[in-house]
Amino acid sequence: MYDKLITINDLMTSNKLKMNNYKVNEQGFYGEYGGAFVPEMLYPNVEELKNKYLQIIGTDDFKQQFNELLKNYVGRPNPLYFAKRLSEKYQTNIYLKREDLNHTGSHKVNNAIGQILLAKHLGKKRIIAETGAGQHGVATATVCALMNLQCVVYMGEVDIERQAPNVSRMKMLGAEVRAAKSGSRTLKDATNEAIRDWINNPEDTYYLIGSVVGPHPYPDMVARFQSVISEEIRIQLKEQTGNEKPDYVIACVGGGSNAMGAFYHFLDDLSVKLIATEAAGMGIDTDETAASLKVGSPGIIHGSRTYLMQTDDGQIIEPYSISAGLDYPGIGPIHAHLNDTKRVDYMSVTDKEALDAGFMLTKVEGIIPALESAHAIAVLEKKKFKKDDIVVINLSGRGDKDLATYIDKL
Ligand SMILES: *Cc1c(COP(=O)(O)O)cnc(C)c1O
């Protein structure tokens, strides 16, 4: 039974669940956003990927390997958990999609598995990635160990200092962590270094991007790999309630990959309302924020046109959020489009609201959420749901990595 639900078959072959209204066009655009704005030296790499990704991930061989690893290595399908006490507290029906129970502790591994298999099919020998908090770096180092591929992770010098446990994990997994020492020495500088590396090693190196960001085809590819989340939600909800469509799906957004995964198979069902939460940090009317859609404007970042936080002359503004995974100055281009078309309601949640939600969930359900995921939980305090609404919240990751931050606020 479950073997069927973790297949990406439907994405390639069936019309039933295919996302029709919001899919990327030939040039890699979602409405006005997306595309592939890369240095000329990178054209061959990006072209190769663009020309081959659909064909490769559509083969039986690929699908069989992807499904097998999601099942036996990642531990999918993870539960869709009816949170009884939480539902009583908020007088509605709340289900938590437990991405926190995946191997390595978040949804990031779904995508890392997909892309590492793709890299192998392309015959690549060396994997590069950039990471901010280190979570995507850990997921990448994990799948590289699994596949016995060389792994180099770029990370800002500042982030290396403040995310020491993840740096140790990556090293233990056999990855080389290279410090980005220019600019503000954080995520965007690490990204620049990774792109430079890719330019210098176009033949043997694969660039493994961790969210629905970057030049086409990355946003579409990552969304497809993460779409397993909503594929499972539909089937599990049908089993538990008799109806595969909830009233609401809620997820947090950094680059936007867990939200895309949770929304994917519902995008064409307008009866399913979709809510995404950006990190407001100290508040969207302060300088300490990461709410790109609220305070940003269209521009080009990381190879695609999307909303980003920038000064009047186009310099990227350093974002701020208590949650490292949401601390990103841009947002995936499909989210910019879903915001313009109003298909998704983008809310912003402050550090304080997220912390409160994290403590609340821990007390009420015995689940310590990642601070990122706590931004999605916080919607329960900000919006009133009806008594018979079915509300699915994507719990993107577990809170172990955030324990020091939580304890500091206890
Ligand atoms: C990285 C991360 C996020 C943010 O990334 P998206 O691409 O927006 O999903 C959210 N939650 C967790 C647990 C993460 O590790």
Side-chain angles (χ1 to χ4, degrees), residues 105-108 135 210-212 252-259 325-326 370 372-373 396-398 401:
S106 81
H107 68 290
K108 289 223 169 62
Q135 292 154 250
S211 188
V212 287
C252 66
V253 182
S257 67
N258 87 85
L326 305 184
E372 292 84 2
S373 321
S396 57
R398 65 177 87 126
K401 67 185 178 57

PDB file of all heavy atoms in Angstrom, residues 105-108 135 210-212 252-259 325-326 370 372-373 396-398 401, ligand 1:
ATOM      1  N   GLY A 105      16.670  14.249  10.515  1.00  0.00           N
ATOM      2  CA  GLY A 105      15.852  15.163  11.295  1.00  0.00           C
ATOM      3  C   GLY A 105      15.053  16.237  10.593  1.00  0.00           C
ATOM      4  O   GLY A 105      14.469  17.092  11.255  1.00  0.00           O
ATOM      5  N   SER A 106      15.011  16.209   9.268  1.00  0.00           N
ATOM      6  CA  SER A 106      14.162  17.178   8.574  1.00  0.00           C
ATOM      7  C   SER A 106      13.831  16.688   7.168  1.00  0.00           C
ATOM      8  O   SER A 106      14.268  15.621   6.746  1.00  0.00           O
ATOM      9  CB  SER A 106      14.854  18.546   8.484  1.00  0.00           C
ATOM     10  OG  SER A 106      15.776  18.563   7.422  1.00  0.00           O
ATOM     11  N   HIS A 107      13.057  17.521   6.457  1.00  0.00           N
ATOM     12  CA  HIS A 107      12.680  17.199   5.075  1.00  0.00           C
ATOM     13  C   HIS A 107      13.847  17.284   4.110  1.00  0.00           C
ATOM     14  O   HIS A 107      13.764  16.816   2.984  1.00  0.00           O
ATOM     15  CB  HIS A 107      11.596  18.175   4.620  1.00  0.00           C
ATOM     16  CG  HIS A 107      12.117  19.581   4.479  1.00  0.00           C
ATOM     17  ND1 HIS A 107      12.470  20.356   5.566  1.00  0.00           N
ATOM     18  CD2 HIS A 107      12.414  20.319   3.390  1.00  0.00           C
ATOM     19  CE1 HIS A 107      12.929  21.520   5.144  1.00  0.00           C
ATOM     20  NE2 HIS A 107      12.912  21.530   3.830  1.00  0.00           N
ATOM     21  N   LYS A 108      14.955  17.920   4.493  1.00  0.00           N
ATOM     22  CA  LYS A 108      16.028  18.211   3.533  1.00  0.00           C
ATOM     23  C   LYS A 108      16.578  16.953   2.867  1.00  0.00           C
ATOM     24  O   LYS A 108      17.026  16.987   1.730  1.00  0.00           O
ATOM     25  CB  LYS A 108      17.151  18.976   4.227  1.00  0.00           C
ATOM     26  CG  LYS A 108      16.758  20.402   4.560  1.00  0.00           C
ATOM     27  CD  LYS A 108      17.857  21.378   4.259  1.00  0.00           C
ATOM     28  CE  LYS A 108      17.347  22.801   4.347  1.00  0.00           C
ATOM     29  NZ  LYS A 108      16.850  23.151   5.703  1.00  0.00           N
ATOM     30  N   GLN A 135      22.401  22.612   8.053  1.00  0.00           N
ATOM     31  CA  GLN A 135      21.476  21.491   7.928  1.00  0.00           C
ATOM     32  C   GLN A 135      21.516  20.870   6.535  1.00  0.00           C
ATOM     33  O   GLN A 135      21.530  19.655   6.393  1.00  0.00           O
ATOM     34  CB  GLN A 135      20.054  21.944   8.249  1.00  0.00           C
ATOM     35  CG  GLN A 135      19.888  22.301   9.698  1.00  0.00           C
ATOM     36  CD  GLN A 135      18.772  23.290   9.900  1.00  0.00           C
ATOM     37  OE1 GLN A 135      19.009  24.444  10.221  1.00  0.00           O
ATOM     38  NE2 GLN A 135      17.560  22.842   9.690  1.00  0.00           N
ATOM     39  N   GLY A 210      19.939  23.140  -1.929  1.00  0.00           N
ATOM     40  CA  GLY A 210      19.106  22.609  -0.849  1.00  0.00           C
ATOM     41  C   GLY A 210      17.689  23.114  -0.734  1.00  0.00           C
ATOM     42  O   GLY A 210      16.958  22.711   0.162  1.00  0.00           O
ATOM     43  N   SER A 211      17.262  24.012  -1.644  1.00  0.00           N
ATOM     44  CA  SER A 211      15.881  24.475  -1.552  1.00  0.00           C
ATOM     45  C   SER A 211      15.369  24.781  -2.963  1.00  0.00           C
ATOM     46  O   SER A 211      16.092  24.565  -3.943  1.00  0.00           O
ATOM     47  CB  SER A 211      15.785  25.702  -0.645  1.00  0.00           C
ATOM     48  OG  SER A 211      14.414  26.034  -0.424  1.00  0.00           O
ATOM     49  N   VAL A 212      14.137  25.298  -3.052  1.00  0.00           N
ATOM     50  CA  VAL A 212      13.563  25.589  -4.379  1.00  0.00           C
ATOM     51  C   VAL A 212      14.066  26.946  -4.874  1.00  0.00           C
ATOM     52  O   VAL A 212      13.293  27.820  -5.249  1.00  0.00           O
ATOM     53  CB  VAL A 212      12.017  25.547  -4.366  1.00  0.00           C
ATOM     54  CG1 VAL A 212      11.520  24.121  -4.267  1.00  0.00           C
ATOM     55  CG2 VAL A 212      11.440  26.382  -3.219  1.00  0.00           C
ATOM     56  N   CYS A 252       6.273  26.517   6.959  1.00  0.00           N
ATOM     57  CA  CYS A 252       7.174  27.667   7.029  1.00  0.00           C
ATOM     58  C   CYS A 252       7.963  27.781   5.722  1.00  0.00           C
ATOM     59  O   CYS A 252       8.076  26.816   4.975  1.00  0.00           O
ATOM     60  CB  CYS A 252       8.137  27.510   8.213  1.00  0.00           C
ATOM     61  SG  CYS A 252       9.293  26.130   8.047  1.00  0.00           S
ATOM     62  N   VAL A 253       8.497  28.986   5.472  1.00  0.00           N
ATOM     63  CA  VAL A 253       9.259  29.221   4.237  1.00  0.00           C
ATOM     64  C   VAL A 253      10.581  29.916   4.516  1.00  0.00           C
ATOM     65  O   VAL A 253      10.607  31.020   5.064  1.00  0.00           O
ATOM     66  CB  VAL A 253       8.487  30.149   3.269  1.00  0.00           C
ATOM     67  CG1 VAL A 253       9.272  30.332   1.972  1.00  0.00           C
ATOM     68  CG2 VAL A 253       7.131  29.610   2.958  1.00  0.00           C
ATOM     69  N   GLY A 254      11.666  29.248   4.128  1.00  0.00           N
ATOM     70  CA  GLY A 254      12.955  29.912   4.064  1.00  0.00           C
ATOM     71  C   GLY A 254      13.199  30.151   2.580  1.00  0.00           C
ATOM     72  O   GLY A 254      12.814  31.164   2.010  1.00  0.00           O
ATOM     73  N   GLY A 255      13.784  29.157   1.918  1.00  0.00           N
ATOM     74  CA  GLY A 255      13.806  29.165   0.456  1.00  0.00           C
ATOM     75  C   GLY A 255      12.467  28.677  -0.086  1.00  0.00           C
ATOM     76  O   GLY A 255      12.013  29.083  -1.143  1.00  0.00           O
ATOM     77  N   GLY A 256      11.854  27.762   0.679  1.00  0.00           N
ATOM     78  CA  GLY A 256      10.498  27.342   0.328  1.00  0.00           C
ATOM     79  C   GLY A 256      10.327  25.892  -0.077  1.00  0.00           C
ATOM     80  O   GLY A 256       9.302  25.535  -0.652  1.00  0.00           O
ATOM     81  N   SER A 257      11.289  25.011   0.254  1.00  0.00           N
ATOM     82  CA  SER A 257      11.169  23.642  -0.258  1.00  0.00           C
ATOM     83  C   SER A 257      10.199  22.765   0.540  1.00  0.00           C
ATOM     84  O   SER A 257       9.452  21.972  -0.049  1.00  0.00           O
ATOM     85  CB  SER A 257      12.541  22.970  -0.346  1.00  0.00           C
ATOM     86  OG  SER A 257      13.101  22.759   0.926  1.00  0.00           O
ATOM     87  N   ASN A 258      10.177  22.912   1.882  1.00  0.00           N
ATOM     88  CA  ASN A 258       9.224  22.053   2.605  1.00  0.00           C
ATOM     89  C   ASN A 258       7.800  22.514   2.317  1.00  0.00           C
ATOM     90  O   ASN A 258       6.887  21.698   2.194  1.00  0.00           O
ATOM     91  CB  ASN A 258       9.566  21.978   4.104  1.00  0.00           C
ATOM     92  CG  ASN A 258       8.954  23.077   4.952  1.00  0.00           C
ATOM     93  OD1 ASN A 258       7.825  22.966   5.386  1.00  0.00           O
ATOM     94  ND2 ASN A 258       9.695  24.168   5.153  1.00  0.00           N
ATOM     95  N   ALA A 259       7.620  23.827   2.156  1.00  0.00           N
ATOM     96  CA  ALA A 259       6.288  24.331   1.816  1.00  0.00           C
ATOM     97  C   ALA A 259       5.870  23.835   0.424  1.00  0.00           C
ATOM     98  O   ALA A 259       4.743  23.360   0.246  1.00  0.00           O
ATOM     99  CB  ALA A 259       6.282  25.863   1.854  1.00  0.00           C
ATOM    100  N   GLY A 325      17.520  28.294   9.557  1.00  0.00           N
ATOM    101  CA  GLY A 325      17.026  27.776   8.281  1.00  0.00           C
ATOM    102  C   GLY A 325      16.120  28.746   7.544  1.00  0.00           C
ATOM    103  O   GLY A 325      15.836  28.561   6.369  1.00  0.00           O
ATOM    104  N   LEU A 326      15.632  29.767   8.237  1.00  0.00           N
ATOM    105  CA  LEU A 326      14.762  30.756   7.571  1.00  0.00           C
ATOM    106  C   LEU A 326      15.495  32.071   7.332  1.00  0.00           C
ATOM    107  O   LEU A 326      14.933  33.023   6.780  1.00  0.00           O
ATOM    108  CB  LEU A 326      13.504  31.018   8.414  1.00  0.00           C
ATOM    109  CG  LEU A 326      12.658  29.801   8.788  1.00  0.00           C
ATOM    110  CD1 LEU A 326      11.407  30.229   9.543  1.00  0.00           C
ATOM    111  CD2 LEU A 326      12.271  28.981   7.564  1.00  0.00           C
ATOM    112  N   ALA A 370      11.659  21.943  15.346  1.00  0.00           N
ATOM    113  CA  ALA A 370      12.707  22.859  14.900  1.00  0.00           C
ATOM    114  C   ALA A 370      12.151  24.278  14.987  1.00  0.00           C
ATOM    115  O   ALA A 370      10.940  24.487  14.827  1.00  0.00           O
ATOM    116  CB  ALA A 370      13.106  22.543  13.460  1.00  0.00           C
ATOM    117  N   GLU A 372      12.366  26.519  12.874  1.00  0.00           N
ATOM    118  CA  GLU A 372      11.738  26.821  11.574  1.00  0.00           C
ATOM    119  C   GLU A 372      10.277  26.366  11.611  1.00  0.00           C
ATOM    120  O   GLU A 372       9.367  27.137  11.323  1.00  0.00           O
ATOM    121  CB  GLU A 372      12.472  26.086  10.436  1.00  0.00           C
ATOM    122  CG  GLU A 372      13.882  26.570  10.143  1.00  0.00           C
ATOM    123  CD  GLU A 372      14.924  25.937  11.060  1.00  0.00           C
ATOM    124  OE1 GLU A 372      14.564  25.077  11.906  1.00  0.00           O
ATOM    125  OE2 GLU A 372      16.107  26.324  10.948  1.00  0.00           O
ATOM    126  N   SER A 373      10.083  25.110  11.976  1.00  0.00           N
ATOM    127  CA  SER A 373       8.733  24.542  11.994  1.00  0.00           C
ATOM    128  C   SER A 373       7.834  25.265  12.991  1.00  0.00           C
ATOM    129  O   SER A 373       6.616  25.361  12.784  1.00  0.00           O
ATOM    130  CB  SER A 373       8.791  23.057  12.357  1.00  0.00           C
ATOM    131  OG  SER A 373       9.905  22.433  11.749  1.00  0.00           O
ATOM    132  N   SER A 396       8.465  20.507   9.641  1.00  0.00           N
ATOM    133  CA  SER A 396       9.604  20.282   8.738  1.00  0.00           C
ATOM    134  C   SER A 396      10.813  19.641   9.406  1.00  0.00           C
ATOM    135  O   SER A 396      11.595  18.969   8.743  1.00  0.00           O
ATOM    136  CB  SER A 396      10.009  21.601   8.072  1.00  0.00           C
ATOM    137  OG  SER A 396      10.318  22.583   9.042  1.00  0.00           O
ATOM    138  N   GLY A 397      10.983  19.849  10.731  1.00  0.00           N
ATOM    139  CA  GLY A 397      12.163  19.261  11.355  1.00  0.00           C
ATOM    140  C   GLY A 397      12.065  19.221  12.867  1.00  0.00           C
ATOM    141  O   GLY A 397      11.180  19.829  13.471  1.00  0.00           O
ATOM    142  N   ARG A 398      13.000  18.506  13.470  1.00  0.00           N
ATOM    143  CA  ARG A 398      12.990  18.363  14.926  1.00  0.00           C
ATOM    144  C   ARG A 398      13.890  19.401  15.596  1.00  0.00           C
ATOM    145  O   ARG A 398      14.783  19.966  14.961  1.00  0.00           O
ATOM    146  CB  ARG A 398      13.405  16.946  15.316  1.00  0.00           C
ATOM    147  CG  ARG A 398      14.813  16.554  14.965  1.00  0.00           C
ATOM    148  CD  ARG A 398      15.131  15.139  15.484  1.00  0.00           C
ATOM    149  NE  ARG A 398      14.742  14.125  14.511  1.00  0.00           N
ATOM    150  CZ  ARG A 398      15.567  13.180  14.037  1.00  0.00           C
ATOM    151  NH1 ARG A 398      16.822  13.116  14.471  1.00  0.00           N
ATOM    152  NH2 ARG A 398      15.151  12.301  13.159  1.00  0.00           N
ATOM    153  N   LYS A 401      18.582  20.420  17.340  1.00  0.00           N
ATOM    154  CA  LYS A 401      19.624  21.371  16.946  1.00  0.00           C
ATOM    155  C   LYS A 401      19.400  22.752  17.570  1.00  0.00           C
ATOM    156  O   LYS A 401      20.318  23.566  17.607  1.00  0.00           O
ATOM    157  CB  LYS A 401      19.660  21.489  15.418  1.00  0.00           C
ATOM    158  CG  LYS A 401      18.401  22.139  14.866  1.00  0.00           C
ATOM    159  CD  LYS A 401      18.325  22.166  13.368  1.00  0.00           C
ATOM    160  CE  LYS A 401      17.033  22.784  12.884  1.00  0.00           C
ATOM    161  NZ  LYS A 401      16.752  24.147  13.361  1.00  0.00           N
TER     162      LYS A 401
HETATM  163  C1  LIG B   1      16.218  24.323   6.033  1.00  0.00           C
HETATM  164  C2  LIG B   1      14.985  24.165   6.818  1.00  0.00           C
HETATM  165  C3  LIG B   1      13.831  24.934   6.531  1.00  0.00           C
HETATM  166  C4  LIG B   1      13.793  26.006   5.496  1.00  0.00           C
HETATM  167  O1  LIG B   1      14.015  25.565   4.194  1.00  0.00           O
HETATM  168  P1  LIG B   1      12.835  25.449   3.124  1.00  0.00           P
HETATM  169  O2  LIG B   1      13.541  25.231   1.838  1.00  0.00           O
HETATM  170  O3  LIG B   1      12.073  26.736   3.147  1.00  0.00           O
HETATM  171  O4  LIG B   1      11.986  24.325   3.521  1.00  0.00           O
HETATM  172  C5  LIG B   1      12.685  24.695   7.286  1.00  0.00           C
HETATM  173  N1  LIG B   1      12.664  23.761   8.273  1.00  0.00           N
HETATM  174  C6  LIG B   1      13.748  23.027   8.570  1.00  0.00           C
HETATM  175  C7  LIG B   1      13.659  22.040   9.674  1.00  0.00           C
HETATM  176  C8  LIG B   1      14.939  23.200   7.850  1.00  0.00           C
HETATM  177  O5  LIG B   1      16.002  22.450   8.156  1.00  0.00           O
END
